[in-house]
Amino acid sequence: GQTGAAIDYGLALTESLLFFEAQRRGKLPPGRRVTWRGDSALDDGKDNRVDLTGGHYDAGDNVKFGSPMAYVITMLAWGAFELDARLVAEKEFQNALAAIRWGRHNHARPCPTPAQRPLRRARRG
């Protein structure tokens, strides 16, 4: 087997973040590194006048589960906090922040009325 010294952790960080980029759904940003993934699921929620676009694909079944993705984004944020120096050294810190924002934005946005937006209310208060 491989020893710990032979493992390229910088490559592991890069490929992990590329996984998140490849799983994005919605209107994708320009200049993305995963060029084969195009805009998708742009009409999610439209029939109920709710914008449910964005977020990440989960298990290839086109279902977005809130709790598992909230956990994943939390762990990603925690990892970015704990490993910020390594992410900066590998030039992946901004990509990590973009992955966190992409997932967080999906959880904070899809509420149809202001009363259903506790995160936004808390920020203003």
Side-chain angles (χ1 to χ4, degrees):
Q2 280 188 323
T3 65
I7 298 172
D8 185 346
Y9 289 104
L11 180 61
L13 283 171
T14 296
E15 290 183 353
S16 296
L17 292 169
L18 282 170
F19 171 82
F20 282 96
E21 291 179 34
Q23 300 306 313
R24 287 179 179 169
R25 59 189 284 154
K27 180 72 176 155
L28 301 180
R32 60 189 177 274
R33 298 186 295 174
V34 179
T35 57
W36 55 264
R37 169 70 76 192
D39 298 341
S40 60
L42 298 177
D43 292 332
D44 281 3
K46 190 174 185 178
D47 54 342
N48 290 313
R49 292 183 293 210
V50 178
D51 183 5
L52 298 176
T53 59
H56 294 88
Y57 283 103
D58 180 285
D61 56 10
N62 294 325
V63 177
K64 293 193 279 188
F65 295 102
S67 294
M69 188 49 64
Y71 174 81
V72 167
I73 297 302
T74 299
M75 292 298 102
L76 186 58
W78 189 359
F81 175 77
E82 292 286 330
L83 300 171
D84 63 329
R86 184 64 192 247
L87 287 164
V88 169
E90 297 296 332
K91 297 179 177 42
E92 290 292 348
F93 189 70
Q94 292 305 316
N95 293 320
L97 293 181
I100 294 164
R101 281 189 208 104
W102 191 269
R104 183 207 49 85
H105 180 71
N106 183 61
H107 287 282
R109 176 179 43 83
C111 302
T113 67
Q116 294 173 319
R117 296 183 187 130
L119 292 176
R120 290 183 183 174
R121 270 200 330 267
R123 264 196 302 250
R124 287 188 206 132

